[in-house]
């Protein structure tokens, strides 16, 4: 790869930073040994309950300490994880699940069927897929300490697929934790997974520590994607919080940390040129970045204003800011993502190179926009999203919209986006986020693909016509029927504009060369088991 003068200047900045940072970092943390891995994750861990929030950083935390009934293999097929045996009745309405041997909570008590029943019921309060199960369930109950059943009113062929989604992570918790409402956070951090959360070493704002669960019994199968045996090969993994990405990269170069989840895209050439570092794509399907508008508040409670945003955005322009290397960024116009079975081009005439600012200006005028403040949440510690937020604000100002940035870390954004009120009451107008491209293939469970108003995900778009189509997804049986249904759904979506896509980004992580065993999946989550230092 050829490094131009601009890259050399950045390399010099990174090198200078590297020379000035390590002594500070060493003062804050103990030296890394062979059985300790240090990671710098994308975002700040401020909410620990994966049912309470859909934030990836929380889901990553949950993957370490909680286990699941089923997990996805490398072919994206659900495989038993906590479940040892399962069966389906002849009428396809009753599922029976038996837990495998050796499952225990971190507090030393055994995992029981009652724990799993309570966890499913709590998850079903907030997750789209979970709600679907609860709506169709006649009964969910334990049969004995290791066995429970889900009896349905009608067959639901996608039930196992709903258990392996990555929206509201369907973590199994102790019954006494899962008995609380999904609107109240679980704070105990006691699971049955391969890692234990070390409460004594937790330093919010600085680092979180995960210790190997010595009592965890992995499955006997070889690791296969997120499925199979979750074998932990180190004693401890530490998440260091380093807000500045150049500082984090300098720490990686100096060996102070082993892994950087979101390295600065414009410094990829610097990383590739360092013989001690490796760029590796873990999320093979990449992520689709989009902006969510607060459909409950002005101006985006008006469909014309949302349509204005659709025409305003030129994905090519945004991708230059978020994925400067074109091999990592791609235009995406389908609500089902790129290269998925249901991806299609229905009702996508709005996509134009550079966007259509004049069309956007006219639509804002038709919406009755009168100069009210449009607040864009800006996570300053995630460069790609921060850059996109700044570009969006500048683009809106060019057409006369009173756009204002609200900077914070990602944890602050996650807390603020739950506010449904107007901006004068601490609310918001727009935030930018992303999700796995592969996850967009299932509208029954994908939170981005719901339009059920205040019962849905942040932004709360509402379209009864679209929801009626989405409800048919589980009723159609053939691939061709679902493809036809997907086209109808997409046609309606781009009329009411549930969100606005900014592009597909396939972002590599950066790691020390000696860190191996990282699991590659079409998912934005990082599995910490199987990691080791060669």
């Amino acid at each position: 790869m050829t490094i131009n003068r601009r890259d050399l200047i950045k390399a010099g900045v990174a090198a200078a930073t590297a020379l000035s940072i390590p002594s500070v970092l060493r003062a804050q943390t103990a030296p890394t040994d062979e059985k300790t891995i240090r990671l710098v994750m994308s975002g700040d861990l401020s909410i620990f309950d994966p049912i309470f929030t859909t934030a990836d950083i929380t889901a990553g935390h949950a993957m370490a300490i909680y286990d699941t009934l089923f997990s996805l293999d490398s072919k994206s097929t659900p495989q038993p994880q906590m479940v040892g045996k399962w069966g389906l009745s002849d009428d396809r309405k009753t599922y029976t699940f038996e837990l495998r041997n050796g499952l225990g909570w971190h507090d030393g008590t055994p995992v029981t069927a009652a724990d799993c029943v309570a966890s499913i019921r709590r998850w079903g309060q907030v997750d789209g897929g979970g709600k679907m199960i609860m709506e169709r369930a006649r009964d969910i109950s334990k049969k004995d300490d290791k066995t429970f059943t889900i009896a349905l009113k009608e067959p639901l062929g996608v039930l196992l697929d709903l258990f392996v989604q990555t929206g509201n992570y369907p973590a199994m918790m102790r019954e006494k934790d899962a008995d609380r409402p999904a609107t109240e956070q679980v704070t105990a951090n006691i699971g049955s997974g391969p890692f234990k959360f070390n409460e004594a070493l937790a330093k919010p704002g600085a680092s979180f520590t995960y210790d190997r669960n010595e009592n965890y019994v992995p499955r006997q199968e070889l690791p296969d994607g997120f499925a199979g045996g979750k074998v932990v090969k180190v004693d401890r993994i530490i998440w260091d919080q380093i807000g500045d990405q150049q500082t984090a990269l300098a720490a990686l170069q100096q060996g102070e940390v082993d892994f950087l989840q979101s390295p600065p895209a414009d410094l990829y050439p610097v990383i590739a040129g360092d013989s001690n570092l490796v760029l590796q794509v873990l999320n093979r399907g990449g992520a689709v970045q989009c902006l969510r508008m607060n459909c409950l508040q002005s101006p985006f409670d008006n469909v014309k204003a949302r349509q204005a945003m659709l025409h305003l955005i030129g994905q090519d322009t945004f991708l230059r800011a978020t994925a400067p290397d074109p091999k990592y960024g791609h235009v995406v116009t389908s609500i089902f993502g790129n290269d998925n079975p249901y991806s299609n081009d229905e009702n996508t005439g709005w996509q134009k190179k550079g966007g259509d600012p004049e069309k956007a200006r006219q639509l804002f005028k038709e919406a009755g926009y009168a100069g009210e403040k449009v607040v864009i949440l800006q996570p300053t510690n995630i460069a790609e999203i921060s850059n996109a937020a700044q570009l969006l604000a500048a683009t809106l100002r060019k057409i006369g919209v009173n756009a204002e940035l609200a900077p914070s870390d990602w944890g602050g954004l996650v807390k603020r986006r739950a506010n449904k009120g107007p901006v004068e009451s601490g609310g918001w107008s727009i935030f930018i986020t992303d999700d796995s491209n592969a996850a967009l293939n299932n509208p029954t469970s994908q939170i981005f693909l719901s339009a059920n108003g205040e019962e849905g995900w942040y932004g709360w778009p509402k379209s009864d016509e679209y929801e009626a189509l989405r409800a048919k997804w589980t009723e159609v049986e053939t691939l061709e029927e679902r493809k036809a249904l997907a086209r109808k759904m997409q046609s309606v979506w781009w009329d009411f504009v549930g969100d606005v896509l900014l592009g597909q980004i396939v972002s590599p992580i950066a790691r020390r060369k000696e860190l191996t065993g990282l699991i590659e999946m079409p998912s934005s989550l990082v599995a910490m088991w199987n990691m080791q230092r060669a």
Side-chain angles (χ1 to χ4, degrees):
M1 178 180 293
T2 302
I3 301 179
N4 59 31
R5 182 173 180 273
R6 179 169 175 267
D7 292 326
L8 288 173
I9 292 173
K10 287 185 175 291
V13 172
T17 307
L19 291 173
S20 62
I21 290 301
S23 60
V24 176
L25 195 60
R26 287 194 191 98
Q28 297 173 341
T29 60
T32 298
D33 59 44
E34 292 303 311
K35 290 293 186 177
T36 299
I37 303 294
R38 307 193 80 101
L39 313 180
V40 178
M41 304 297 286
S42 179
D44 308 318
L45 181 61
S46 57
I47 298 175
F48 299 85
D49 183 348
I51 308 302
F52 186 82
T53 182
T54 59
D56 279 353
I57 191 69
T58 302
H61 156 83
M63 282 185 69
I65 70 169
Y66 295 112
D67 219 340
T68 55
L69 298 174
F70 289 78
S71 295
L72 279 178
D73 67 16
S74 58
K75 296 182 175 62
S76 295
T77 302
Q79 300 293 346
Q81 186 55 239
M82 294 174 71
V83 168
K85 294 186 294 185
W86 69 279
L88 180 61
S89 62
D90 291 340
D91 63 2
R92 299 170 56 216
K93 292 182 181 180
T94 301
Y95 288 81
T96 301
F97 302 98
E98 181 181 315
L99 298 175
R100 63 185 176 90
N101 295 325
L103 300 179
W105 299 111
H106 298 158
D107 63 4
T109 58
V111 175
T112 69
D115 297 317
C116 297
V117 169
S119 296
I120 292 170
R121 290 185 176 278
R122 183 169 185 264
W123 169 65
Q125 295 175 31
V126 291
D127 179 79
K131 287 180 179 179
M132 182 174 297
I133 293 174
M134 298 306 295
E135 289 167 359
R136 288 165 171 76
R138 181 169 47 82
D139 182 51
I140 302 177
S141 60
K142 73 170 186 175
K143 189 174 179 180
D144 56 42
D145 282 347
K146 292 183 60 178
T147 310
F148 66 96
T149 61
I150 299 179
L152 303 170
K153 303 169 188 174
E154 57 190 77
L156 182 60
V158 297
L159 186 141
L160 297 188
D161 296 287
L162 300 178
F163 278 146
V164 294
Q165 62 190 22
T166 57
N168 282 89
Y169 193 75
M172 294 298 105
M173 300 179 175
R174 299 177 303 176
E175 183 179 15
K176 65 181 180 180
D177 295 323
D179 271 347
R180 72 180 62 196
T183 52
E184 295 180 12
Q185 291 189 53
V186 171
T187 58
N189 288 315
I190 293 177
S192 64
F195 287 92
K196 292 182 177 180
F197 184 75
N198 191 320
E199 294 279 0
L201 295 183
K203 301 174 183 177
S207 68
F208 293 104
T209 298
Y210 300 83
D211 294 327
R212 178 169 61 89
N213 178 10
E214 296 180 353
N215 296 320
Y216 182 74
V217 180
R219 294 188 68 89
Q220 295 302 305
E221 300 93 336
L222 292 174
D224 182 17
F226 293 153
K230 297 180 179 179
V231 179
V232 178
K233 300 179 179 180
V234 295
D235 292 336
R236 174 171 287 178
I237 289 184
I238 300 173
W239 288 12
D240 282 313
Q241 184 173 320
I242 304 177
D244 180 77
Q245 288 188 308
Q246 284 198 343
T247 302
L249 177 56
L252 183 70
Q253 289 175 312
Q254 293 298 300
E256 299 288 343
V257 298
D258 303 284
F259 172 100
L260 179 55
Q261 187 177 15
S262 298
D266 54 356
L267 290 182
Y268 289 168
V270 175
I271 298 169
D274 189 322
S275 61
N276 295 311
L277 305 182
V278 175
L279 287 170
Q280 181 179 356
V281 174
L282 299 186
N283 181 2
R284 298 197 308 263
V288 172
Q289 194 176 81
C290 72
L291 63 85
R292 302 283 293 192
M293 299 160 286
N294 187 340
C295 299
L296 303 179
Q297 301 293 337
S298 178
F300 299 116
D301 56 347
N302 189 302
V303 66
K304 291 285 187 179
R306 301 198 299 272
Q307 291 172 348
M309 297 299 295
L310 191 62
H311 287 275
L312 176 67
I313 300 301
Q315 288 189 29
D316 56 307
T317 303
F318 277 79
L319 285 169
R320 285 197 295 272
T322 57
D325 189 331
K327 74 179 180 182
Y328 293 124
H330 312 282
V331 170
V332 54
T333 58
S334 177
I335 63 173
F336 297 94
N338 278 340
D339 303 317
N340 285 327
Y342 309 112
S343 303
N344 66 84
D345 61 357
E346 191 72 24
N347 195 13
T348 56
W350 43 267
Q351 172 58 30
K352 294 182 180 179
K353 188 174 182 179
D356 190 345
E358 289 308 312
K359 177 73 171 178
R361 190 195 306 270
Q362 178 61 33
L363 285 167
F364 265 116
K365 183 177 180 181
E366 292 176 16
Y369 177 71
E372 55 264 44
K373 187 183 297 183
V374 170
V375 173
I376 304 168
L377 305 184
Q378 178 198 7
T380 54
N381 58 335
I382 303 179
E384 290 77 11
I385 297 180
S386 180
N387 292 343
Q390 293 176 72
L391 177 57
L392 176 61
T395 305
L396 282 167
R397 290 168 188 150
K398 286 181 181 178
I399 64 168
V401 174
N402 180 17
E404 179 180 291
L405 290 166
S408 71
D409 58 22
W410 179 255
L413 184 152
V414 167
K415 291 178 180 178
R416 184 167 178 177
R417 71 182 180 183
N419 188 333
K420 296 179 179 179
V423 296
E424 295 80 10
S425 301
W428 55 276
S429 308
I430 297 171
F431 77 91
I432 296 171
T433 187
D434 59 40
D435 200 7
S436 166
N437 180 71
L440 295 174
N441 205 36
N442 188 355
T444 60
S445 58
Q446 171 48 251
I447 52 177
F448 281 30
L449 296 181
S450 65
N452 51 348
E454 293 195 55
E455 294 182 359
W457 201 60
Y458 307 110
W460 311 287
K462 184 173 176 59
S463 169
D464 294 339
E465 181 183 5
Y466 173 85
E467 283 296 296
L469 291 170
R470 190 168 76 101
K472 295 180 180 179
W473 193 265
T474 58
E475 300 172 7
V476 298
E477 296 183 355
T478 69
L479 177 63
E480 291 307 314
E481 286 177 316
R482 283 186 175 168
K483 284 183 176 181
L485 181 57
R487 296 188 73 89
K488 292 179 182 178
M489 291 170 64
Q490 182 167 300
S491 179
V492 175
W493 183 275
W494 290 136
D495 282 342
F496 75 86
V497 193
D499 59 14
V500 176
L501 303 182
L502 300 180
Q504 177 195 21
I505 304 172
V506 182
S507 301
I509 60 91
R511 62 174 173 84
R512 299 288 299 179
K513 184 171 289 185
E514 60 268 23
L515 179 63
T516 62
L518 279 67
I519 296 173
E520 297 180 2
M521 282 284 284
S523 168
S524 55
L525 301 183
V526 176
M528 298 196 299
W529 60 88
N530 208 52
M531 287 184 180
Q532 62 183 326
R533 183 176 286 107

